[in-house]
Every structure is written in C-alpha cells, then in structure tokens.
Amino acid sequence: MKKIGIIGAMELEIEELKNSMIITKTETYAKMTFYEGTMGDVPVVLVRSGIGKVNAAICAQILADIYKVTHLINTGVAGSLNSKLDIGDILVSTEVTYHDVDVTIFGYAPGEVPQLGVKTFPADEKMSELAVTICNEVNPDIKCFKGLVVSGDQFISGKEKKEAILSLFNADCAEMEGASIGHTSFLNNIPFVIIRAISDKADDSASVDYPTFEKAAAAHSAKLTLKLVSSL
Ligand code: ADE
C-alpha cells in the first residue's frame, strides 16, 4: 500500500496542499506538525520541516520510521543556477548533493559524504520522469527541466558564491533541504524526488526577487506535487 510523504520547508510551500487534503490525524514530533490523510484517494502525510538540512533530515526520518512512507516528495522554491531556468520555472531532480560538504582532501568528489559509496543521491527515475510529464500538462506556461539540485545551509544571494558553486557542480538550482531528504531516503531505501520552482537567480538580485516571487513559485511546485501524488 502506497503512502506518500510530502515535505515543504515553509508554510507557504505546504498551505495549498494542506487545503487539498482530507486530514484524518494531526500529530507533532520534533516540533513539526504531521498531517496524515488522503489526497484524492491516495494516503499521504504532509509536513512543514522548517528550513535547512538538519530539520529536513529529521523530518524525513520521522516519515520513514513513524509513518512508514513508501515515497517522498519535497516541494518548494529554489535559486536558479542555470541560465535557462527563469523565475517561476520548475526543476525536477535527477540527483541531489550538498554544495557545502567538502572531503575532497581524501579523494572524495565535491559534495560527497564519505563512505556511502555514492557521489550524489539519485532521485527515483520513475518519479522524476512522471513529474516532468505532468508539469508540462499542469503548468503549460512555464519551462520544466530535470537536473541536479544542490543544497547547503546558506541562502545563495551573490555572484561570487553562485560562481563558486558552479565551478564545482554542474547544478541547476540551489536550496537548503533537498540533499538531506535525498540522503535520508537513500539510507532508508525510499524512492524520492525534489520539485523546486525558481523564486530567484541566486545572484545579487536574489534578496529582492525571493520575497517578490516565492509565493507564486511555491504554488507552481505545489500544483505539480498534487497531480504527481495521484499519478504515482
Ligand atoms: N531557496 C530559494 N532561493 C534560494 C537561494 N537563492 N539559496 C538557497 N535557498 C533558496
């Protein structure tokens, strides 16, 4: 029996989804509120993790241990690292990694967590394919790409930092949770996908663009997530 865990870091990333659910149980663990119920006829658990890698990993582990979710979806916004991705467009993960992990001195790849045997955390191929197909149906006015999501405990808002990330990673967007959700999913053998709508370009304009566009961008990602849940 499928049960889909859906994580958004912020309230505005989950509020539309919450309104689309029939909630049968609400519980709190680790100061996070978990809404259990159905979307259409699909069992789901929706939660706001809070911002950053540790919050997101704890949240994903609770979804694995307590709710026994069979799939994980992370919906939200991100800064674009790819000039083809404009504000409002969507990036669906093929893989995720940390832009702020560096054990390269011992021969590991940039972002690689030692001793796991993988350089990045691969998203579930079927979920990614399906998400892109659905995105073109539900959000026909925007572009949707598949690619590499990089995460770190930093809001990227300057040319220098953006270029430093791009010098190490062929990445499409930067955010603050996806890699730790991918990491937790990898450790627990749970198929996952990260869906991120672009709220800013992670450059010198990001601090102005982000508050202007986050709500509309989050809505694009939520709309896709809703349809993906019913199609899995
Ligand atoms: N989420 C949205 N925009 C972001 C950025 N520029 N850096 C990190 N996380 C983000």
Side-chain angles (χ1 to χ4, degrees), residues 77-79 152 154-157 174-176 196 199-202 206 210:
V77 297
Q154 293 159 20
F155 185 87
I156 310 302
S157 57
E175 38 80 300
M176 301 176 70
R196 294 282 177 159
S199 55
D200 58 82
K201 298 202 167 172
Y210 176 80

Side-chain angles (χ1 to χ4, degrees), residues 33-71:
T33 306
F34 292 79
Y35 301 98
E36 188 165 18
T38 50
M39 263 177 203
D41 51 10
V42 182
V44 298
V45 184
L46 174 70
V47 54
R48 172 170 66 86
S49 62
I51 294 166
K53 298 186 302 179
V54 173
N55 281 329
I58 289 169
C59 183
Q61 192 61 49
I62 291 169
L63 286 169
D65 286 344
I66 296 178
Y67 293 98
K68 316 273 185 231
V69 296
T70 58
H71 298 72

Side-chain angles (χ1 to χ4, degrees), residues 179-197:
S180 60
I181 292 168
H183 186 166
T184 309
S185 299
F186 173 79
L187 296 178
N188 291 276
N189 291 311
I190 298 172
F192 78 94
V193 68
I194 311 298
I195 296 171
R196 294 282 177 159

